[in-house]
Amino acid sequence: MNPKPNIVNLPVYKPGKPIDEVKKELGLEEVIKLASNENPYGASPSAKAAIIADLDNLFLYPDGSAAGLTAALAGHLGVQSENIIFGCGSDEIIALICRAFFLPGDETIMADQTFSVYKSNADIEGALTIEVPLADGTHDLDGMLARVTDKTKVIWICNPNNPTGTIVPHNALVKFLDAVPAGVMVVLDEAYFEYVTDESYTDGIKLMEQYPNLVVLRTFSKIYGLAALRIGYGVASPQIINLINKVREPFNTSRLAQAGALAALADQDYVAECRRLNSEGIAQLQEEFLRLGLHSFPANGNFIMVDVRKPAVEVFEALLRLGIIVRAGHRLYPTYIRVTVGSAEQNKAFISALEQTLSEQEVRA
């Protein structure tokens, strides 16, 4: 069998290690997973109740247009239903954008250390990826603009950026959008939007009327705690949404996902509480990193990227043996790990394990 030549050397995405697998491999009774930026407090009780209530309908196909959820979300965001498309996580929307708009030889621009799914999907469609180095962990917007050519189709901005956690502030983003040619799509990935408390941050959806080439991505996987149900969405002009819908598979979001998301959306008190707890967790971890003399990037999502001053993969393995799963292997930051902000108890356990790991490695050195 002969695959497409451009996919032969593509890396296979490696998710964070599952808790049960780590327990079995290492004989551990308790494992704390701080690797995948999941909400440690789970979904809201109302979302769980809505999912349970819909279990009797598992024999029915979901609403292919997610009409009820779309209408509710449109009201929440202040847009029209025609501005919204749902996907199997916002990852699928990324794939659909690439499928709908890229031809082999087209160019796409992104940061050199950002969400890997942008590049992998562009590669699948035969587009050429232009990677612009981050500046202190933040998107270099001037550098990205300098790489725009007549072949540029899409520019990707992850805001907050995954894995560094930095943000592009409102004024810088508007200046950038003013300079981007109208025929170039800008995809603003706001997967962690609901966690951000920095007042310089902007709501990308409020910029869409002024910039019709803008697409905003969000998800129910993070603060809403519905990662297992895989449901995310894109917001854009009706013209762009219509084109993306042409390549979307039918029934791409499940009944349970739609039911859970609809109830979760209505429980904004729960969202606010998760945001508050996350902010406290960020402060807790940053204080401990400062005490330990470890540099960390500003945290604006529900994760922090911290320099452990040792090969990150070795620290990852040592933490794993202590029952803590984090994320390592960032090619441009070989001594940094990314850790999800957990509950106060989980954060305390992580810091204790990290101190032990770094101390042991110092002794061996």
Side-chain angles (χ1 to χ4, degrees):
M1 299 178 68
N2 296 315
K4 294 168 67 175
N6 55 303
I7 74 161
V8 172
N9 295 317
L10 285 183
V12 176
Y13 179 79
K14 295 180 180 180
K17 274 184 168 288
I19 292 174
D20 289 342
E21 180 181 323
V22 173
K23 285 182 177 180
K24 184 177 179 180
E25 281 183 7
L26 300 177
L28 297 170
E29 292 292 326
E30 183 177 355
V31 170
I32 298 173
K33 185 184 178 188
L34 301 174
S36 300
N37 303 341
E38 295 144 330
N39 184 341
Y41 309 103
S44 78
S46 58
K48 295 176 187 177
I51 293 164
I52 292 170
D54 208 39
L55 289 176
D56 288 340
N57 295 318
L58 292 182
F59 68 100
L60 295 173
Y61 281 107
D63 175 1
S65 64
L69 177 57
T70 300
L73 182 61
H76 177 72
L77 298 176
V79 299
Q80 301 300 311
S81 293
E82 292 76 16
N83 294 115
I84 296 172
I85 183 170
F86 281 95
C88 180
S90 56
D91 301 40
E92 187 188 18
I93 310 299
I94 294 167
L96 294 177
I97 289 170
C98 293
R99 184 187 298 175
F101 292 98
F102 284 141
L103 292 171
D106 285 340
E107 294 180 359
T108 183
I109 299 171
M110 64 193 69
D112 63 347
Q113 187 73 77
T114 191
F115 190 38
S116 63
V117 174
Y118 311 144
K119 185 179 188 307
S120 61
N121 278 284
D123 288 347
I124 289 168
E125 302 302 330
L128 175 64
T129 296
I130 309 298
E131 294 181 287
V132 177
L134 293 171
D136 296 325
T138 302
H139 285 76
D140 178 4
L141 299 185
D142 289 337
M144 297 175 93
L145 279 173
R147 303 302 300 274
V148 174
T149 71
D150 57 1
K151 293 183 178 181
T152 305
K153 275 283 186 71
V154 178
I155 302 174
W156 308 86
I157 299 177
C158 190
N159 199 34
N161 187 45
N162 180 9
T164 57
T166 57
I167 59 170
V168 174
H170 174 83
N171 291 342
L173 181 60
V174 168
K175 180 182 177 183
F176 173 78
L177 292 172
D178 283 339
V180 172
V184 175
M185 180 185 295
V186 176
V187 179
L188 189 60
D189 187 346
E190 296 183 340
Y192 301 92
F193 169 83
E194 293 86 359
Y195 280 114
V196 183
T197 59
D198 190 316
E199 292 184 357
S200 71
Y201 186 68
T202 194
D203 179 343
I205 291 172
K206 293 181 179 178
L207 299 175
M208 285 185 359
E209 187 173 350
Q210 185 177 354
Y211 304 101
N213 58 332
L214 182 63
V215 179
V216 178
L217 306 181
R218 293 187 187 168
T219 183
F220 284 92
S221 294
K222 302 306 178 184
I223 205 166
Y224 288 102
L226 297 177
L229 296 184
R230 308 305 302 123
I231 184 161
Y233 59 94
V235 188
S237 70
Q239 293 78 12
I240 291 176
I241 295 298
N242 182 56
L243 290 170
I244 299 173
N245 260 321
K246 290 178 183 293
V247 298
R248 178 179 64 85
E249 299 293 339
F251 310 121
N252 63 325
T253 60
S254 71
R255 289 189 64 93
L256 299 186
Q258 291 180 30
L262 184 60
L265 184 67
D267 194 352
Q268 289 299 312
D269 287 343
Y270 185 79
V271 172
E273 178 65 4
C274 289
R275 179 167 49 246
R276 182 187 69 80
L277 291 168
N278 183 73
S279 295
E280 290 180 357
I282 288 174
Q284 178 188 6
L285 289 175
Q286 287 178 330
E287 182 178 345
E288 292 294 340
F289 294 150
L290 187 62
R291 178 178 64 83
L292 295 171
L294 303 178
H295 168 266
S296 62
F297 286 111
N300 292 281
N302 67 334
F303 57 92
I304 301 182
M305 195 168 181
V306 58
D307 186 359
V308 291
R309 300 183 304 199
K310 306 287 182 184
V313 174
E314 293 180 12
V315 173
F316 164 82
E317 293 289 348
L319 288 172
L320 197 64
R321 292 190 291 271
L322 295 173
I324 306 290
I325 312 174
V326 297
R327 194 76 162 164
H330 303 99
R331 59 191 175 93
L332 300 180
Y333 296 91
T335 62
Y336 282 74
I337 60 172
R338 192 195 68 190
V339 55
T340 302
V341 178
S343 66
E345 295 77 16
Q346 290 173 331
N347 295 337
K348 184 177 180 180
F350 159 68
I351 291 296
S352 176
L354 180 62
E355 277 196 275
Q356 179 180 334
T357 295
L358 296 181
S359 175
E360 290 175 351
Q361 292 197 347
E362 284 290 342
V363 170
R364 286 197 296 271

